[in-house]
Amino acid sequence: MTVIGLGQMGAALAGAFLDAGHPTTVFNRTPEKAEPLVARGAVRAATVAEAVAASGLVVVCVLDYPAVRDLLGPVAGALRGRTLVNLTSGSPEQAREEAAWAAGHGAGYLDGAVMTTPPGVGDSESMILYSGGPELLAGHRAALGVLGDPVDLGADAGLASLYDSGLLGLMWSVFGGWLHGTALTGADGVPAKEFTAVSVRWLRTVSWFLSTYADQIDAGEYPGDDATIDVQVATVGHLLHAGEARGIDGRLPRLHLELMKEAVAAGHGGDSYARVIDSFRKARPSEGSGS
């Protein structure tokens, strides 16, 4: 296989292929970055054309989509009959455009999102999301599986990037809540490690709520049989009070409170927390604006 782009992530991808015993050709605009991989058995291509010609499976991981096109555009004809796996971060729209471009040059295309940092590449517990060609993923699953657990999201090439964005948003929200809670308990002398041990256990219960609420969202029905929004509004008040008493910044819980109060004002105080999704589903500017 071929790996184009040897930043931290690209180098980790190439290293995982080498560790699994796969003949691997690498290319980077700065040739020196290939030296550690060459020392481990990789073949350094002198040009992008040489790199593409070396393998039927071409993995690219560079800064952004324009960089992908800058590299591959001049050698587009050489991609015919090959499978291009693009693990570069971007938007769903860019991924769909790139898939159409690859198809126009006779190449198979998989768009992907690496859901870990470089040290996690090669760990079977790490997810790598793929979309755009289920049959291509099935055909290359053994090879791509050495990078991490391949998760097939279907034929829409934009879904890996879309999931990536959503999952990163979830990660930052969890980080923010954990940091706020760590600051809150730390104000009373609780070590971060002790609070975190309980937090990780609590997240297992939170995951159960997510699964329950997902069914409610898909059905469009929000029974408040576990805890209503009205109850949770009061609970956030306790959190804010505890934070204020300890000098803890309350912007994050106040945001949650604002979203909950929107639902209450709309008459949904007796519904489950999942109803708050309505606050995120704002109409687009072109919808309902009369323009």
Side-chain angles (χ1 to χ4, degrees):
M1 46 255 348
T2 287
V3 177
I4 296 175
L6 300 177
Q8 288 185 326
M9 185 61 76
L13 298 169
F17 283 136
L18 291 170
D19 288 343
H22 290 291
T24 304
T25 297
V26 296
F27 173 83
N28 195 77
R29 281 173 166 166
T30 306
E32 293 76 16
K33 286 191 175 183
E35 290 177 359
L37 293 164
V38 171
R40 294 168 59 185
V43 175
R44 175 167 46 198
T47 64
V48 176
E50 183 181 324
V52 170
S55 310
L57 184 67
V58 179
V59 177
V60 59
C61 183
V62 291
L63 178 63
D64 53 25
Y65 277 72
V68 173
R69 192 67 64 85
D70 286 346
L71 286 165
L72 297 180
V75 298
L79 291 170
R80 182 170 298 277
R82 305 180 193 281
T83 297
L84 175 62
V85 180
N86 186 10
L87 298 181
T88 302
S89 297
S91 70
E93 291 72 25
Q94 288 176 312
R96 291 167 184 145
E97 181 180 345
E98 204 68 14
W101 178 83
H105 290 92
Y109 184 84
L110 282 169
D111 206 83
V114 182
M115 304 310 298
T116 185
T117 54
V121 171
D123 186 337
S124 62
E125 293 298 313
S126 298
M127 291 191 302
I128 301 187
L129 311 179
Y130 294 96
S131 61
E135 72 291 346
L136 296 173
L137 180 57
H140 294 288
R141 179 172 286 273
L144 294 175
V146 308
L147 304 178
D149 182 25
V151 177
D152 179 14
L153 298 178
D156 180 352
L159 285 181
S161 179
L162 188 64
Y163 270 65
D164 183 34
S165 297
L167 290 171
L168 288 175
L170 172 62
M171 178 189 74
W172 291 319
S173 295
V174 171
F175 281 173
W178 167 70
L179 289 171
H180 182 271
T182 300
L184 180 71
T185 55
D188 281 14
V190 177
K193 189 171 183 178
E194 291 184 11
F195 176 70
T196 300
V198 178
S199 299
V200 170
R201 182 175 178 181
W202 170 237
L203 285 174
R204 299 190 193 112
T205 302
V206 173
S207 69
W208 178 86
F209 282 117
L210 292 181
S211 297
T212 300
Y213 288 160
D215 288 338
Q216 294 181 8
I217 292 168
D218 287 341
E221 299 176 355
Y222 305 95
D225 49 11
D226 55 356
T228 66
I229 296 174
D230 283 332
V231 169
Q232 298 199 48
V233 164
T235 305
V236 173
H238 304 324
L239 173 59
L240 283 167
H241 176 77
E244 289 166 0
R246 289 160 177 78
I248 302 301
D249 190 305
R251 283 176 291 176
L252 185 57
R254 281 197 295 271
L255 172 60
H256 293 305
L257 183 60
E258 177 184 336
L259 295 170
M260 291 183 209
K261 285 185 173 180
E262 282 185 10
V264 172
H268 302 305
D271 290 355
S272 77
Y273 188 84
R275 171 66 77 172
V276 175
I277 194 171
D278 290 347
S279 293
F280 292 101
R281 289 173 165 169
K282 299 297 186 184
R284 297 177 182 177
S286 59
E287 297 175 351
S289 63
S291 58

